[in-house]
Amino acid sequence: MLTIIMETRDNEAELAQTLSVLVAGAVEGLVSDVIILDHGSKDGSSDVADAAGCRFCRDWDLADVVGSARGEWLMLLEPGARPIGRWIDELAEYVSLNREPARFSHSRLHRRTFFSRLARRGKPLETGFLLRKHDALAAARGKADLDAMANIRSVRKLSTEIVPAWVAIEARR
């Protein structure tokens, strides 16, 4: 039903955090597969992906990866990002009733300071990105990475919150 796709480069710890949350979605039958796109990791990212049963791609073309996804919907995430709350139920309902792309809501507990939010614009995948495989195939042609594919301004906002990846990255420092 839903394929998760993430890009990684030396994000072993963050990848493990995200994958541990996604297990519940797989158990409930929402998540059909997880694809990890590597950018030359030298840490244990491939081992974490293998242990979780993910497909780990070292050499990849985004259009080919999207075409090989098992799910009819794709969820693009950053390693370290974690949906919280009733995300499984909301996503299952959303993909069965809608056709438009969507993003999670920002976590109310994990917000950057006011001045940080003013100084920099959030990355396209900071709140994840959910879209139909058909739309992803069209968007993937000529795109080099997931950020470029998810850089769409007008999308629906889900009520489910996501803990952004920067929280996990800053906790590691």
Side-chain angles (χ1 to χ4, degrees):
M1 182 180 256
L2 182 70
T3 295
I4 312 296
I5 303 178
M6 291 184 274
E7 288 181 292
T8 188
R9 181 175 184 160
D10 297 328
N11 296 107
E12 177 182 1
E14 294 84 12
L15 195 58
Q17 286 183 3
T18 301
L19 293 174
S20 68
V21 172
L22 297 178
V23 167
V27 169
E28 293 293 325
L30 177 67
V31 176
S32 59
D33 59 326
V34 179
I35 303 170
I36 310 298
L37 308 176
D38 187 50
H39 288 281
S41 294
K42 294 181 180 16
D43 64 357
S45 294
S46 64
D47 296 331
V48 169
D50 185 52
C54 303
R55 187 165 26 136
F56 192 82
C57 304
R58 287 189 167 82
D59 295 316
W60 48 273
D61 174 75
L62 189 54
D64 291 341
V65 169
V66 169
S68 71
R70 286 190 231 151
E72 288 303 311
W73 281 80
L74 306 180
M75 185 165 68
L76 313 180
L77 292 174
E78 294 179 314
R82 300 174 315 277
I84 55 177
R86 297 176 35 92
W87 70 273
I88 297 169
D89 294 335
E90 184 176 6
L91 284 184
E93 181 178 338
Y94 188 85
V95 300
S96 67
L97 299 175
N98 295 281
R99 301 174 63 88
E100 300 87 23
R103 295 186 192 283
F104 290 98
S105 295
H106 286 277
S107 169
R108 289 173 280 168
L109 296 175
H110 302 91
R111 295 183 63 109
R112 293 191 186 273
T113 64
F114 176 73
F115 292 112
S116 294
R117 290 192 309 263
L118 284 178
R120 83 165 106 162
R121 187 172 160 238
K123 297 190 295 184
L125 289 180
E126 187 168 319
T127 54
F129 192 67
L130 181 68
L131 75 163
R132 293 182 317 142
K133 180 178 178 178
H134 174 76
D135 297 332
L137 283 168
R141 291 186 182 92
K143 304 291 185 192
D145 61 11
L146 298 181
D147 278 341
M149 193 165 80
N151 200 10
I152 297 173
R153 303 266 188 262
S154 178
V155 297
R156 304 220 16 212
K157 186 180 269 189
L158 303 169
S159 61
T160 299
E161 297 178 2
I162 190 167
V163 177
W166 62 262
V167 173
I169 292 168
E170 287 184 4
R172 184 170 51 136
R173 291 181 187 164

